[in-house]
Amino acid sequence: MYWCRDHGYRLVTRLLAVLALPVAGVVAPRGGARHAACQWALAVRFPAEDLTGLTSATKAAFTAARTRALWRDGVLIGLTSGYRDAEEQARLFAADVRRRGSLSYRPRTLPPAESCHVAGTAVDVRPLEGARWLERHGGRYHLYRVYDNEWWHFEYRPEGPPPRSAHPGASLADTGAGR
Ligand SMILES: [Zn+2]
């Protein structure tokens, strides 16, 4: 059932991109037509997503990756969460610490100073199939999965793939309070 629905979305979004191509060719003639057509189609499929606040390099990498995913492989990649301001991240962190009792219970959310979402270099994506595509091909765009427990979280790391950790906060727990 879900597969059918997702499959339908994929087909429709890809069709939109193909239909938009001639118009995009007029607006963005120099090689940017495919890119523009895919962004339009993805904006129709994921109207609520917001790429504002991502660094320009992260945004460029992410849009290039999702264009290739859609155009070449018919795979959709949507943005669930990109940039977060420090205040929102502090709220998430505080809620997580409260839920887990204390810092010694290994937080799964990072404080603002540590979060790549606050830095504008992290993207949470959906659906699972899109994340799998990004895990396989994201290196081409310097986008890497970082945590074992978060299939949706990717970071823009032009310096190369970061070491994989079990979950956010793993390094805090190792060096900081508790075990
Ligand atoms: Zn994330």
Side-chain angles (χ1 to χ4, degrees):
M1 189 72 143
Y2 284 118
W3 185 87
C4 287
R5 196 196 57 191
D6 289 348
H7 191 62
Y9 278 137
R10 276 172 49 185
L11 291 178
V12 169
T13 307
R14 203 172 186 201
L15 181 65
L16 278 175
V18 172
L19 291 175
L21 193 61
V23 182
V26 176
V27 182
R30 269 173 295 176
R34 184 176 296 181
H35 183 86
C38 284
Q39 299 322 304
W40 286 349
L42 285 161
V44 171
R45 169 64 188 93
F46 302 111
E49 69 179 22
D50 184 7
L51 276 66
T52 321
L54 293 175
T55 67
S56 54
T58 306
K59 194 170 162 180
F62 180 64
T63 53
R66 70 204 303 220
T67 295
R68 186 178 173 85
L70 178 60
W71 198 264
R72 206 188 59 151
D73 299 328
V75 173
L76 291 175
I77 302 177
L79 182 78
T80 311
S81 176
Y83 168 77
R84 285 180 211 139
D85 66 31
E87 210 173 298
E88 185 188 354
Q89 187 69 28
R91 241 188 342 263
L92 292 173
F93 180 65
D96 187 47
V97 169
R98 243 190 340 268
R99 200 166 46 239
R100 291 173 188 281
S102 81
L103 278 176
S104 62
Y105 286 103
R106 293 172 173 258
R108 300 289 166 100
T109 307
L110 294 175
E114 310 268 339
S115 171
C116 286
H117 282 289
V118 174
T121 57
V123 288
D124 292 347
V125 305
R126 68 188 167 117
L128 180 60
E129 190 197 16
R132 288 211 173 115
W133 188 98
L134 203 53
E135 194 169 350
R136 208 157 41 238
H137 304 287
R140 204 186 158 102
Y141 307 93
H142 304 297
L143 291 166
Y144 300 101
R145 179 172 167 182
V146 185
Y147 304 118
D148 291 340
N149 75 325
E150 293 193 355
W151 56 261
W152 57 84
H153 178 98
F154 290 81
E155 294 179 7
Y156 176 69
R157 302 279 191 118
E159 73 280 9
R164 180 95 159 241
S165 44
H167 58 78
S171 61
L172 297 178
D174 291 344
T175 54
R179 19 190 231 119

